PDB file of all heavy atoms in Angstrom:
ATOM      1  N   LEU K 334     -17.037 -12.339  21.132  1.00  0.00           N
ATOM      2  CA  LEU K 334     -18.052 -11.339  20.774  1.00  0.00           C
ATOM      3  C   LEU K 334     -17.837 -10.057  21.584  1.00  0.00           C
ATOM      4  O   LEU K 334     -17.975  -8.949  21.058  1.00  0.00           O
ATOM      5  CB  LEU K 334     -19.460 -11.899  20.985  1.00  0.00           C
ATOM      6  CG  LEU K 334     -20.543 -11.208  20.149  1.00  0.00           C
ATOM      7  CD1 LEU K 334     -20.292 -11.352  18.655  1.00  0.00           C
ATOM      8  CD2 LEU K 334     -21.926 -11.742  20.493  1.00  0.00           C
ATOM      9  N   PHE K 419     -19.859 -17.560  12.517  1.00  0.00           N
ATOM     10  CA  PHE K 419     -20.019 -16.641  13.658  1.00  0.00           C
ATOM     11  C   PHE K 419     -18.954 -15.533  13.586  1.00  0.00           C
ATOM     12  O   PHE K 419     -19.243 -14.345  13.696  1.00  0.00           O
ATOM     13  CB  PHE K 419     -19.915 -17.463  14.951  1.00  0.00           C
ATOM     14  CG  PHE K 419     -19.634 -16.660  16.183  1.00  0.00           C
ATOM     15  CD1 PHE K 419     -20.632 -15.911  16.783  1.00  0.00           C
ATOM     16  CD2 PHE K 419     -18.359 -16.655  16.758  1.00  0.00           C
ATOM     17  CE1 PHE K 419     -20.371 -15.164  17.931  1.00  0.00           C
ATOM     18  CE2 PHE K 419     -18.092 -15.917  17.894  1.00  0.00           C
ATOM     19  CZ  PHE K 419     -19.102 -15.168  18.478  1.00  0.00           C
ATOM     20  N   GLN K 422     -19.633 -13.136  10.633  1.00  0.00           N
ATOM     21  CA  GLN K 422     -20.732 -12.201  10.903  1.00  0.00           C
ATOM     22  C   GLN K 422     -20.298 -11.120  11.898  1.00  0.00           C
ATOM     23  O   GLN K 422     -20.582  -9.932  11.715  1.00  0.00           O
ATOM     24  CB  GLN K 422     -21.932 -12.986  11.461  1.00  0.00           C
ATOM     25  CG  GLN K 422     -23.175 -12.132  11.550  1.00  0.00           C
ATOM     26  CD  GLN K 422     -24.337 -12.855  12.236  1.00  0.00           C
ATOM     27  OE1 GLN K 422     -24.176 -13.943  12.790  1.00  0.00           O
ATOM     28  NE2 GLN K 422     -25.505 -12.240  12.200  1.00  0.00           N
ATOM     29  N   LEU K 426     -20.331  -7.152  11.252  1.00  0.00           N
ATOM     30  CA  LEU K 426     -21.209  -6.261  12.025  1.00  0.00           C
ATOM     31  C   LEU K 426     -20.444  -5.332  12.959  1.00  0.00           C
ATOM     32  O   LEU K 426     -20.955  -4.292  13.357  1.00  0.00           O
ATOM     33  CB  LEU K 426     -22.206  -7.084  12.847  1.00  0.00           C
ATOM     34  CG  LEU K 426     -23.291  -7.811  12.067  1.00  0.00           C
ATOM     35  CD1 LEU K 426     -24.180  -8.602  13.032  1.00  0.00           C
ATOM     36  CD2 LEU K 426     -24.143  -6.833  11.265  1.00  0.00           C
ATOM     37  N   PHE K 430     -20.252  -0.461  15.169  1.00  0.00           N
ATOM     38  CA  PHE K 430     -20.105   0.124  16.517  1.00  0.00           C
ATOM     39  C   PHE K 430     -19.492   1.514  16.415  1.00  0.00           C
ATOM     40  O   PHE K 430     -18.501   1.712  15.716  1.00  0.00           O
ATOM     41  CB  PHE K 430     -19.196  -0.754  17.394  1.00  0.00           C
ATOM     42  CG  PHE K 430     -19.907  -1.918  17.997  1.00  0.00           C
ATOM     43  CD1 PHE K 430     -19.826  -3.175  17.419  1.00  0.00           C
ATOM     44  CD2 PHE K 430     -20.672  -1.766  19.140  1.00  0.00           C
ATOM     45  CE1 PHE K 430     -20.484  -4.259  17.965  1.00  0.00           C
ATOM     46  CE2 PHE K 430     -21.343  -2.840  19.704  1.00  0.00           C
ATOM     47  CZ  PHE K 430     -21.247  -4.099  19.106  1.00  0.00           C
ATOM     48  N   ASP K 450     -25.887   3.320  19.267  1.00  0.00           N
ATOM     49  CA  ASP K 450     -27.238   2.766  19.379  1.00  0.00           C
ATOM     50  C   ASP K 450     -27.215   1.250  19.626  1.00  0.00           C
ATOM     51  O   ASP K 450     -28.194   0.562  19.390  1.00  0.00           O
ATOM     52  CB  ASP K 450     -28.048   3.104  18.117  1.00  0.00           C
ATOM     53  CG  ASP K 450     -27.356   2.628  16.856  1.00  0.00           C
ATOM     54  OD1 ASP K 450     -26.273   1.986  16.967  1.00  0.00           O
ATOM     55  OD2 ASP K 450     -27.881   2.882  15.751  1.00  0.00           O
ATOM     56  N   ARG K 451     -26.065   0.757  20.050  1.00  0.00           N
ATOM     57  CA  ARG K 451     -25.978  -0.683  20.330  1.00  0.00           C
ATOM     58  C   ARG K 451     -25.634  -0.948  21.777  1.00  0.00           C
ATOM     59  O   ARG K 451     -24.945  -0.151  22.407  1.00  0.00           O
ATOM     60  CB  ARG K 451     -24.865  -1.306  19.477  1.00  0.00           C
ATOM     61  CG  ARG K 451     -25.196  -1.330  18.016  1.00  0.00           C
ATOM     62  CD  ARG K 451     -24.065  -1.995  17.319  1.00  0.00           C
ATOM     63  NE  ARG K 451     -24.363  -2.175  15.912  1.00  0.00           N
ATOM     64  CZ  ARG K 451     -23.576  -2.827  15.083  1.00  0.00           C
ATOM     65  NH1 ARG K 451     -22.442  -3.340  15.525  1.00  0.00           N
ATOM     66  NH2 ARG K 451     -23.903  -2.964  13.828  1.00  0.00           N
ATOM     67  N   ARG K 452     -26.075  -2.109  22.239  1.00  0.00           N
ATOM     68  CA  ARG K 452     -25.688  -2.551  23.580  1.00  0.00           C
ATOM     69  C   ARG K 452     -25.042  -3.929  23.494  1.00  0.00           C
ATOM     70  O   ARG K 452     -25.397  -4.733  22.619  1.00  0.00           O
ATOM     71  CB  ARG K 452     -26.917  -2.631  24.493  1.00  0.00           C
ATOM     72  CG  ARG K 452     -27.292  -1.278  25.091  1.00  0.00           C
ATOM     73  CD  ARG K 452     -28.626  -1.336  25.776  1.00  0.00           C
ATOM     74  NE  ARG K 452     -29.690  -1.634  24.825  1.00  0.00           N
ATOM     75  CZ  ARG K 452     -30.598  -2.583  25.004  1.00  0.00           C
ATOM     76  NH1 ARG K 452     -30.614  -3.328  26.096  1.00  0.00           N
ATOM     77  NH2 ARG K 452     -31.522  -2.791  24.074  1.00  0.00           N
ATOM     78  N   VAL K 453     -24.127  -4.167  24.391  1.00  0.00           N
ATOM     79  CA  VAL K 453     -23.456  -5.461  24.476  1.00  0.00           C
ATOM     80  C   VAL K 453     -23.750  -6.017  25.868  1.00  0.00           C
ATOM     81  O   VAL K 453     -23.674  -5.273  26.850  1.00  0.00           O
ATOM     82  CB  VAL K 453     -21.927  -5.281  24.296  1.00  0.00           C
ATOM     83  CG1 VAL K 453     -21.190  -6.598  24.475  1.00  0.00           C
ATOM     84  CG2 VAL K 453     -21.626  -4.659  22.931  1.00  0.00           C
ATOM     85  N   VAL K 454     -24.131  -7.276  25.938  1.00  0.00           N
ATOM     86  CA  VAL K 454     -24.340  -7.912  27.245  1.00  0.00           C
ATOM     87  C   VAL K 454     -23.595  -9.247  27.250  1.00  0.00           C
ATOM     88  O   VAL K 454     -23.691 -10.025  26.291  1.00  0.00           O
ATOM     89  CB  VAL K 454     -25.840  -8.181  27.543  1.00  0.00           C
ATOM     90  CG1 VAL K 454     -26.030  -8.582  29.010  1.00  0.00           C
ATOM     91  CG2 VAL K 454     -26.714  -6.983  27.202  1.00  0.00           C
ATOM     92  N   VAL K 462     -30.264 -14.178  32.181  1.00  0.00           N
ATOM     93  CA  VAL K 462     -30.685 -12.811  32.521  1.00  0.00           C
ATOM     94  C   VAL K 462     -31.570 -12.270  31.400  1.00  0.00           C
ATOM     95  O   VAL K 462     -31.346 -12.590  30.220  1.00  0.00           O
ATOM     96  CB  VAL K 462     -29.476 -11.858  32.747  1.00  0.00           C
ATOM     97  CG1 VAL K 462     -28.724 -12.237  34.001  1.00  0.00           C
ATOM     98  CG2 VAL K 462     -28.535 -11.833  31.563  1.00  0.00           C
ATOM     99  N   PRO K 463     -32.596 -11.464  31.759  1.00  0.00           N
ATOM    100  CA  PRO K 463     -33.478 -10.934  30.717  1.00  0.00           C
ATOM    101  C   PRO K 463     -32.750  -9.946  29.808  1.00  0.00           C
ATOM    102  O   PRO K 463     -31.879  -9.214  30.278  1.00  0.00           O
ATOM    103  CB  PRO K 463     -34.588 -10.230  31.513  1.00  0.00           C
ATOM    104  CG  PRO K 463     -34.110 -10.140  32.914  1.00  0.00           C
ATOM    105  CD  PRO K 463     -32.967 -11.057  33.109  1.00  0.00           C
ATOM    106  N   ILE K 464     -33.106  -9.929  28.524  1.00  0.00           N
ATOM    107  CA  ILE K 464     -32.548  -8.917  27.615  1.00  0.00           C
ATOM    108  C   ILE K 464     -33.696  -8.258  26.843  1.00  0.00           C
ATOM    109  O   ILE K 464     -34.728  -8.890  26.604  1.00  0.00           O
ATOM    110  CB  ILE K 464     -31.532  -9.527  26.608  1.00  0.00           C
ATOM    111  CG1 ILE K 464     -32.041 -10.831  25.981  1.00  0.00           C
ATOM    112  CG2 ILE K 464     -30.181  -9.730  27.250  1.00  0.00           C
ATOM    113  CD1 ILE K 464     -31.182 -11.373  24.859  1.00  0.00           C
ATOM    114  N   GLU K 465     -33.459  -7.016  26.455  1.00  0.00           N
ATOM    115  CA  GLU K 465     -34.472  -6.274  25.694  1.00  0.00           C
ATOM    116  C   GLU K 465     -33.828  -5.661  24.479  1.00  0.00           C
ATOM    117  O   GLU K 465     -32.703  -5.180  24.558  1.00  0.00           O
ATOM    118  CB  GLU K 465     -35.007  -5.123  26.546  1.00  0.00           C
ATOM    119  CG  GLU K 465     -36.186  -5.489  27.386  1.00  0.00           C
ATOM    120  CD  GLU K 465     -36.592  -4.320  28.264  1.00  0.00           C
ATOM    121  OE1 GLU K 465     -36.485  -3.164  27.798  1.00  0.00           O
ATOM    122  OE2 GLU K 465     -36.983  -4.586  29.412  1.00  0.00           O
ATOM    123  N   GLY K 466     -34.557  -5.638  23.366  1.00  0.00           N
ATOM    124  CA  GLY K 466     -34.031  -5.016  22.155  1.00  0.00           C
ATOM    125  C   GLY K 466     -33.948  -6.032  21.035  1.00  0.00           C
ATOM    126  O   GLY K 466     -34.300  -7.200  21.206  1.00  0.00           O
ATOM    127  N   THR K 467     -33.472  -5.573  19.894  1.00  0.00           N
ATOM    128  CA  THR K 467     -33.355  -6.467  18.738  1.00  0.00           C
ATOM    129  C   THR K 467     -31.991  -7.129  18.765  1.00  0.00           C
ATOM    130  O   THR K 467     -30.964  -6.450  18.862  1.00  0.00           O
ATOM    131  CB  THR K 467     -33.492  -5.648  17.433  1.00  0.00           C
ATOM    132  OG1 THR K 467     -34.683  -4.883  17.536  1.00  0.00           O
ATOM    133  CG2 THR K 467     -33.529  -6.528  16.208  1.00  0.00           C
ATOM    134  N   VAL K 468     -32.004  -8.449  18.672  1.00  0.00           N
ATOM    135  CA  VAL K 468     -30.731  -9.175  18.692  1.00  0.00           C
ATOM    136  C   VAL K 468     -30.048  -9.032  17.337  1.00  0.00           C
ATOM    137  O   VAL K 468     -30.579  -9.462  16.313  1.00  0.00           O
ATOM    138  CB  VAL K 468     -30.976 -10.669  19.023  1.00  0.00           C
ATOM    139  CG1 VAL K 468     -29.689 -11.471  18.871  1.00  0.00           C
ATOM    140  CG2 VAL K 468     -31.552 -10.821  20.429  1.00  0.00           C
ATOM    141  N   LEU K 469     -28.881  -8.405  17.342  1.00  0.00           N
ATOM    142  CA  LEU K 469     -28.104  -8.327  16.095  1.00  0.00           C
ATOM    143  C   LEU K 469     -27.361  -9.628  15.860  1.00  0.00           C
ATOM    144  O   LEU K 469     -27.330 -10.165  14.783  1.00  0.00           O
ATOM    145  CB  LEU K 469     -27.088  -7.186  16.184  1.00  0.00           C
ATOM    146  CG  LEU K 469     -27.640  -5.786  16.135  1.00  0.00           C
ATOM    147  CD1 LEU K 469     -26.553  -4.770  16.437  1.00  0.00           C
ATOM    148  CD2 LEU K 469     -28.226  -5.520  14.756  1.00  0.00           C
ATOM    149  N   MET K 470     -26.719 -10.075  16.901  1.00  0.00           N
ATOM    150  CA  MET K 470     -26.135 -11.411  16.883  1.00  0.00           C
ATOM    151  C   MET K 470     -25.777 -11.837  18.294  1.00  0.00           C
ATOM    152  O   MET K 470     -25.658 -11.005  19.192  1.00  0.00           O
ATOM    153  CB  MET K 470     -24.931 -11.521  15.943  1.00  0.00           C
ATOM    154  CG  MET K 470     -23.670 -10.864  16.377  1.00  0.00           C
ATOM    155  SD  MET K 470     -22.318 -11.243  15.211  1.00  0.00           S
ATOM    156  CE  MET K 470     -22.016 -13.001  15.509  1.00  0.00           C
ATOM    157  N   ALA K 471     -25.620 -13.133  18.461  1.00  0.00           N
ATOM    158  CA  ALA K 471     -25.312 -13.656  19.785  1.00  0.00           C
ATOM    159  C   ALA K 471     -24.282 -14.763  19.625  1.00  0.00           C
ATOM    160  O   ALA K 471     -24.118 -15.330  18.541  1.00  0.00           O
ATOM    161  CB  ALA K 471     -26.579 -14.194  20.439  1.00  0.00           C
ATOM    162  N   SER K 472     -23.589 -15.061  20.729  1.00  0.00           N
ATOM    163  CA  SER K 472     -22.542 -16.085  20.644  1.00  0.00           C
ATOM    164  C   SER K 472     -23.115 -17.490  20.758  1.00  0.00           C
ATOM    165  O   SER K 472     -22.410 -18.471  20.528  1.00  0.00           O
ATOM    166  CB  SER K 472     -21.511 -15.843  21.734  1.00  0.00           C
ATOM    167  OG  SER K 472     -22.119 -15.954  23.005  1.00  0.00           O
ATOM    168  N   GLY K 473     -24.409 -17.593  21.125  1.00  0.00           N
ATOM    169  CA  GLY K 473     -25.076 -18.884  21.242  1.00  0.00           C
ATOM    170  C   GLY K 473     -26.567 -18.618  21.191  1.00  0.00           C
ATOM    171  O   GLY K 473     -26.983 -17.471  20.982  1.00  0.00           O
ATOM    172  N   PRO K 474     -27.386 -19.658  21.395  1.00  0.00           N
ATOM    173  CA  PRO K 474     -28.838 -19.455  21.320  1.00  0.00           C
ATOM    174  C   PRO K 474     -29.333 -18.492  22.409  1.00  0.00           C
ATOM    175  O   PRO K 474     -28.917 -18.610  23.556  1.00  0.00           O
ATOM    176  CB  PRO K 474     -29.408 -20.859  21.563  1.00  0.00           C
ATOM    177  CG  PRO K 474     -28.260 -21.801  21.439  1.00  0.00           C
ATOM    178  CD  PRO K 474     -27.012 -21.026  21.698  1.00  0.00           C
ATOM    179  N   VAL K 475     -30.196 -17.548  22.020  1.00  0.00           N
ATOM    180  CA  VAL K 475     -30.812 -16.644  23.003  1.00  0.00           C
ATOM    181  C   VAL K 475     -32.306 -16.536  22.705  1.00  0.00           C
ATOM    182  O   VAL K 475     -32.728 -16.730  21.563  1.00  0.00           O
ATOM    183  CB  VAL K 475     -30.223 -15.205  22.961  1.00  0.00           C
ATOM    184  CG1 VAL K 475     -28.811 -15.182  23.472  1.00  0.00           C
ATOM    185  CG2 VAL K 475     -30.304 -14.592  21.576  1.00  0.00           C
ATOM    186  N   THR K 476     -33.083 -16.215  23.737  1.00  0.00           N
ATOM    187  CA  THR K 476     -34.507 -15.909  23.546  1.00  0.00           C
ATOM    188  C   THR K 476     -34.703 -14.504  24.099  1.00  0.00           C
ATOM    189  O   THR K 476     -33.940 -13.617  23.735  1.00  0.00           O
ATOM    190  CB  THR K 476     -35.369 -16.939  24.308  1.00  0.00           C
ATOM    191  OG1 THR K 476     -34.895 -16.990  25.656  1.00  0.00           O
ATOM    192  CG2 THR K 476     -35.279 -18.314  23.671  1.00  0.00           C
ATOM    193  N   ASP K 477     -35.684 -14.322  25.000  1.00  0.00           N
ATOM    194  CA  ASP K 477     -35.744 -13.025  25.665  1.00  0.00           C
ATOM    195  C   ASP K 477     -34.901 -13.050  26.936  1.00  0.00           C
ATOM    196  O   ASP K 477     -34.909 -12.130  27.729  1.00  0.00           O
ATOM    197  CB  ASP K 477     -37.186 -12.596  25.943  1.00  0.00           C
ATOM    198  CG  ASP K 477     -37.938 -13.691  26.666  1.00  0.00           C
ATOM    199  OD1 ASP K 477     -37.361 -14.798  26.837  1.00  0.00           O
ATOM    200  OD2 ASP K 477     -39.084 -13.459  27.079  1.00  0.00           O
ATOM    201  N   THR K 478     -34.169 -14.155  27.071  1.00  0.00           N
ATOM    202  CA  THR K 478     -33.160 -14.190  28.140  1.00  0.00           C
ATOM    203  C   THR K 478     -31.821 -14.598  27.526  1.00  0.00           C
ATOM    204  O   THR K 478     -31.767 -15.243  26.472  1.00  0.00           O
ATOM    205  CB  THR K 478     -33.514 -15.196  29.254  1.00  0.00           C
ATOM    206  OG1 THR K 478     -33.560 -16.491  28.680  1.00  0.00           O
ATOM    207  CG2 THR K 478     -34.805 -14.847  29.956  1.00  0.00           C
ATOM    208  N   LEU K 479     -30.775 -14.189  28.232  1.00  0.00           N
ATOM    209  CA  LEU K 479     -29.408 -14.507  27.802  1.00  0.00           C
ATOM    210  C   LEU K 479     -28.873 -15.598  28.723  1.00  0.00           C
ATOM    211  O   LEU K 479     -28.678 -15.367  29.926  1.00  0.00           O
ATOM    212  CB  LEU K 479     -28.552 -13.236  27.917  1.00  0.00           C
ATOM    213  CG  LEU K 479     -27.113 -13.310  27.443  1.00  0.00           C
ATOM    214  CD1 LEU K 479     -27.032 -13.508  25.938  1.00  0.00           C
ATOM    215  CD2 LEU K 479     -26.362 -12.032  27.838  1.00  0.00           C
ATOM    216  N   PRO K 480     -28.638 -16.801  28.183  1.00  0.00           N
ATOM    217  CA  PRO K 480     -28.158 -17.899  29.039  1.00  0.00           C
ATOM    218  C   PRO K 480     -26.746 -17.623  29.571  1.00  0.00           C
ATOM    219  O   PRO K 480     -26.043 -16.759  29.030  1.00  0.00           O
ATOM    220  CB  PRO K 480     -28.141 -19.106  28.090  1.00  0.00           C
ATOM    221  CG  PRO K 480     -28.885 -18.702  26.879  1.00  0.00           C
ATOM    222  CD  PRO K 480     -28.808 -17.210  26.793  1.00  0.00           C
ATOM    223  N   THR K 483     -22.846 -16.645  27.627  1.00  0.00           N
ATOM    224  CA  THR K 483     -23.277 -16.166  26.311  1.00  0.00           C
ATOM    225  C   THR K 483     -23.178 -14.644  26.271  1.00  0.00           C
ATOM    226  O   THR K 483     -23.355 -13.974  27.289  1.00  0.00           O
ATOM    227  CB  THR K 483     -24.743 -16.595  26.040  1.00  0.00           C
ATOM    228  OG1 THR K 483     -24.877 -17.983  26.355  1.00  0.00           O
ATOM    229  CG2 THR K 483     -25.139 -16.385  24.587  1.00  0.00           C
ATOM    230  N   ALA K 484     -22.883 -14.130  25.068  1.00  0.00           N
ATOM    231  CA  ALA K 484     -22.868 -12.673  24.871  1.00  0.00           C
ATOM    232  C   ALA K 484     -23.788 -12.329  23.717  1.00  0.00           C
ATOM    233  O   ALA K 484     -24.044 -13.164  22.836  1.00  0.00           O
ATOM    234  CB  ALA K 484     -21.461 -12.185  24.554  1.00  0.00           C
ATOM    235  N   VAL K 485     -24.288 -11.101  23.737  1.00  0.00           N
ATOM    236  CA  VAL K 485     -25.215 -10.685  22.680  1.00  0.00           C
ATOM    237  C   VAL K 485     -24.942  -9.231  22.305  1.00  0.00           C
ATOM    238  O   VAL K 485     -24.497  -8.438  23.144  1.00  0.00           O
ATOM    239  CB  VAL K 485     -26.681 -10.882  23.159  1.00  0.00           C
ATOM    240  CG1 VAL K 485     -27.043  -9.964  24.318  1.00  0.00           C
ATOM    241  CG2 VAL K 485     -27.679 -10.704  22.025  1.00  0.00           C
ATOM    242  N   TRP K 486     -25.185  -8.918  21.027  1.00  0.00           N
ATOM    243  CA  TRP K 486     -25.177  -7.530  20.566  1.00  0.00           C
ATOM    244  C   TRP K 486     -26.631  -7.166  20.287  1.00  0.00           C
ATOM    245  O   TRP K 486     -27.319  -7.861  19.531  1.00  0.00           O
ATOM    246  CB  TRP K 486     -24.374  -7.355  19.279  1.00  0.00           C
ATOM    247  CG  TRP K 486     -22.882  -7.560  19.445  1.00  0.00           C
ATOM    248  CD1 TRP K 486     -22.200  -7.708  20.607  1.00  0.00           C
ATOM    249  CD2 TRP K 486     -21.913  -7.625  18.384  1.00  0.00           C
ATOM    250  NE1 TRP K 486     -20.851  -7.852  20.347  1.00  0.00           N
ATOM    251  CE2 TRP K 486     -20.651  -7.807  19.002  1.00  0.00           C
ATOM    252  CE3 TRP K 486     -21.990  -7.542  16.986  1.00  0.00           C
ATOM    253  CZ2 TRP K 486     -19.477  -7.911  18.253  1.00  0.00           C
ATOM    254  CZ3 TRP K 486     -20.824  -7.650  16.256  1.00  0.00           C
ATOM    255  CH2 TRP K 486     -19.576  -7.830  16.883  1.00  0.00           C
ATOM    256  N   LEU K 487     -27.070  -6.079  20.895  1.00  0.00           N
ATOM    257  CA  LEU K 487     -28.472  -5.662  20.772  1.00  0.00           C
ATOM    258  C   LEU K 487     -28.571  -4.289  20.130  1.00  0.00           C
ATOM    259  O   LEU K 487     -27.725  -3.421  20.400  1.00  0.00           O
ATOM    260  CB  LEU K 487     -29.103  -5.588  22.161  1.00  0.00           C
ATOM    261  CG  LEU K 487     -29.183  -6.891  22.954  1.00  0.00           C
ATOM    262  CD1 LEU K 487     -29.391  -6.606  24.438  1.00  0.00           C
ATOM    263  CD2 LEU K 487     -30.297  -7.777  22.408  1.00  0.00           C
ATOM    264  N   ALA K 488     -29.607  -4.098  19.309  1.00  0.00           N
ATOM    265  CA  ALA K 488     -29.913  -2.753  18.822  1.00  0.00           C
ATOM    266  C   ALA K 488     -31.145  -2.288  19.573  1.00  0.00           C
ATOM    267  O   ALA K 488     -31.985  -3.122  19.953  1.00  0.00           O
ATOM    268  CB  ALA K 488     -30.188  -2.789  17.323  1.00  0.00           C
ATOM    269  N   ASP K 489     -31.259  -0.970  19.792  1.00  0.00           N
ATOM    270  CA  ASP K 489     -32.473  -0.468  20.457  1.00  0.00           C
ATOM    271  C   ASP K 489     -33.656  -0.771  19.542  1.00  0.00           C
ATOM    272  O   ASP K 489     -33.553  -0.703  18.348  1.00  0.00           O
ATOM    273  CB  ASP K 489     -32.360   1.039  20.676  1.00  0.00           C
ATOM    274  CG  ASP K 489     -31.224   1.348  21.657  1.00  0.00           C
ATOM    275  OD1 ASP K 489     -30.898   0.460  22.472  1.00  0.00           O
ATOM    276  OD2 ASP K 489     -30.668   2.449  21.582  1.00  0.00           O
ATOM    277  N   ARG K 490     -34.770  -1.055  20.158  1.00  0.00           N
ATOM    278  CA  ARG K 490     -35.963  -1.334  19.347  1.00  0.00           C
ATOM    279  C   ARG K 490     -36.400  -0.079  18.609  1.00  0.00           C
ATOM    280  O   ARG K 490     -36.253   1.021  19.107  1.00  0.00           O
ATOM    281  CB  ARG K 490     -37.085  -1.787  20.270  1.00  0.00           C
ATOM    282  CG  ARG K 490     -37.072  -3.274  20.475  1.00  0.00           C
ATOM    283  CD  ARG K 490     -38.423  -3.707  21.022  1.00  0.00           C
ATOM    284  NE  ARG K 490     -38.264  -4.516  22.227  1.00  0.00           N
ATOM    285  CZ  ARG K 490     -38.080  -5.837  22.203  1.00  0.00           C
ATOM    286  NH1 ARG K 490     -38.017  -6.478  21.076  1.00  0.00           N
ATOM    287  NH2 ARG K 490     -37.977  -6.505  23.330  1.00  0.00           N
TER     288      ARG K 490
END
Side-chain angles (χ1 to χ4, degrees):
L334 203 61
F419 162 76
Q422 189 186 9
L426 290 179
F430 278 98
D450 56 3
R451 291 182 175 185
R452 277 170 296 130
V453 176
V454 191
V462 292
I464 45 172
E465 270 176 36
T467 308
V468 173
L469 289 172
M470 73 174 290
S472 62
V475 290
T476 52
D477 52 354
T478 62
L479 184 67
T483 312
V485 66
W486 292 351
L487 297 161
D489 295 335
R490 271 197 232 273

